[in-house]
Amino acid sequence: MATINGIVNVINKKYHLYPKVQTVKKNCVEFIGLCFHEGEQHIAPVIYVDRFLTDDFTDEEAAVYVKQCYDQAGIDIDIDIFKDPTYIREHLFLGLEKKGSDTKYLTRDSAFDDIIEYLYIRDEANVDGTFSVKMSSEHLKSVNITEEEAWRLASEHTSQEIKIETMAEVLCSMMPDDAAIYDNIDDVPMYIFSNHLRMKGAAVVTNMDYVKQWAKAMGFDKIVIIFSSIHEVIILPADDNTDLDAISAMVVDVNKGCVAKEEQLAEKAFIFSVND
């Protein structure tokens, strides 16, 4: 049976690549990856190896597959694109992070307490992957893009990517063979807001006009917004009896057990009146 330490040892000795083990929790599921970072390289591929940690692979066989993935995952980026104002204008998006994060990048307050917005460029690096780069005020100035224009374009592009799914649909896509988990799940009106990549997709709710219009169309007077991570948001209907403190306590518990610290956004839930 292949083990993570065994795979790393083979890769070190046979290919001299020396990856670092990286563990990430997403939606309460833990993934183990190998991060390949070389020299002054700013963008490093991460290859997740959970599928190899079974009786079907030896350490040597798994290492061969990882090396093949590594060869195919090489990130080939023309640095000159970051000097091209047209390219930057076309690839700006909004991201969210906790207020107080140690960052030298351009940020602003969001509509949610303790959460700030930032600007980033996102694009495909190859067929199977994407890359993202946060933007600074200095970078925008160097390409003659005003901060006002950058925020506007990023908001527009982020809003164009809004994707809404029911909780049942999301669970089905994650675990299609586990039919038992879907029993009565449709009875719980929970909706997942993200983008089509499910990457940094929580920022889609910065367009609160859209969120409220959607809620009105669904017949909701109030909604609760739960930031499950930087990648997605859970929205459910609320009324005068909704216990926001209890929901916020649940958010804290889930953050502790299921969400990587760098992917957490809020320690509480938020309630909004749709008609405000």
Side-chain angles (χ1 to χ4, degrees):
M1 176 179 178
T3 65
I4 187 63
N5 289 333
I7 296 171
V8 170
N9 287 336
V10 174
I11 292 173
N12 290 347
K13 293 177 181 179
K14 188 173 182 178
Y15 303 114
H16 307 290
L17 291 174
Y18 310 103
K20 292 183 178 180
V21 178
Q22 179 172 303
T23 302
V24 176
K25 281 186 178 180
K26 293 183 179 180
N27 299 314
C28 295
V29 180
E30 188 175 87
F31 299 92
I32 301 175
L34 298 179
C35 180
F36 294 82
H37 195 283
E38 301 178 6
E40 299 299 320
Q41 183 180 1
H42 295 290
I43 303 174
V46 176
I47 298 170
Y48 292 97
V49 297
D50 305 82
R51 55 180 166 154
F52 303 123
L53 303 179
T54 70
D55 291 332
D56 295 330
F57 294 92
T58 65
D59 293 333
E60 291 75 15
E61 290 171 335
V64 170
Y65 279 96
V66 171
K67 179 59 164 58
Q68 291 175 350
C69 293
Y70 172 82
D71 291 339
Q72 296 172 5
I75 297 178
D76 183 14
I77 299 174
D78 181 0
I79 299 301
D80 287 340
I81 61 176
F82 300 119
K83 302 176 184 178
D84 183 349
T86 299
Y87 176 87
I88 291 173
R89 285 187 174 96
E90 292 175 351
H91 292 84
L92 281 168
F93 294 89
L94 292 180
L96 298 179
E97 63 184 15
K98 278 186 176 181
K99 184 175 289 186
S101 300
D102 183 16
T103 177
K104 61 182 179 180
Y105 303 102
L106 183 61
T107 64
R108 68 180 182 184
D109 290 337
S110 74
F112 307 93
D113 295 340
D114 301 324
I115 296 177
I116 57 176
E117 302 175 14
Y118 65 87
L119 295 167
Y120 73 97
I121 297 171
R122 191 194 73 218
D123 199 4
E124 293 185 357
N126 50 40
V127 175
D128 298 314
T130 61
F131 71 88
S132 63
V133 178
K134 290 182 177 180
M135 298 297 294
S136 66
S137 298
E138 292 74 17
H139 194 163
L140 290 175
K141 289 178 182 177
S142 71
V143 291
N144 295 315
I145 298 176
T146 65
E147 292 182 15
E148 180 181 4
E149 180 185 13
W151 285 116
R152 176 179 59 79
L153 290 171
S155 297
E156 290 175 0
H157 297 160
T158 301
S159 295
Q160 290 166 3
E161 291 195 327
I162 296 176
K163 182 176 182 179
I164 307 170
E165 298 176 281
T166 65
M167 180 64 78
E169 290 170 336
V170 172
L171 290 174
C172 183
S173 67
M174 294 173 59
M175 295 172 282
D177 299 325
D178 193 353
I181 65 173
Y182 311 125
D183 293 343
N184 302 319
I185 192 67
D186 281 325
D187 295 338
V188 182
M190 299 176 69
Y191 301 87
I192 311 299
F193 278 59
S194 188
N195 54 31
H196 68 287
L197 294 175
R198 293 185 186 171
M199 185 182 81
K200 301 182 180 179
V204 299
V205 297
T206 55
N207 188 341
M208 283 300 295
D209 288 340
Y210 180 94
V211 172
K212 289 183 178 181
Q213 288 173 8
W214 168 85
K216 284 182 181 180
M218 296 294 292
F220 305 148
D221 294 322
K222 294 181 180 180
I223 55 173
V224 171
I225 296 180
I226 302 170
F227 289 92
S228 53
S229 77
I230 62 173
H231 302 298
E232 66 277 314
V233 172
I234 299 172
I235 295 183
L236 58 154
D239 56 32
D240 293 338
N241 297 317
T242 298
D243 190 339
L244 195 63
D245 290 337
I247 297 174
S248 294
M250 178 194 68
V251 172
V252 172
D253 288 341
V254 172
N255 277 347
K256 288 181 179 178
C258 300
V259 185
K261 187 174 181 179
E262 64 272 15
E263 296 190 347
Q264 296 176 17
L265 276 177
E267 296 295 320
K268 64 179 182 179
F270 300 84
I271 191 165
F272 287 89
S273 172
V274 170
N275 298 309
D276 287 347

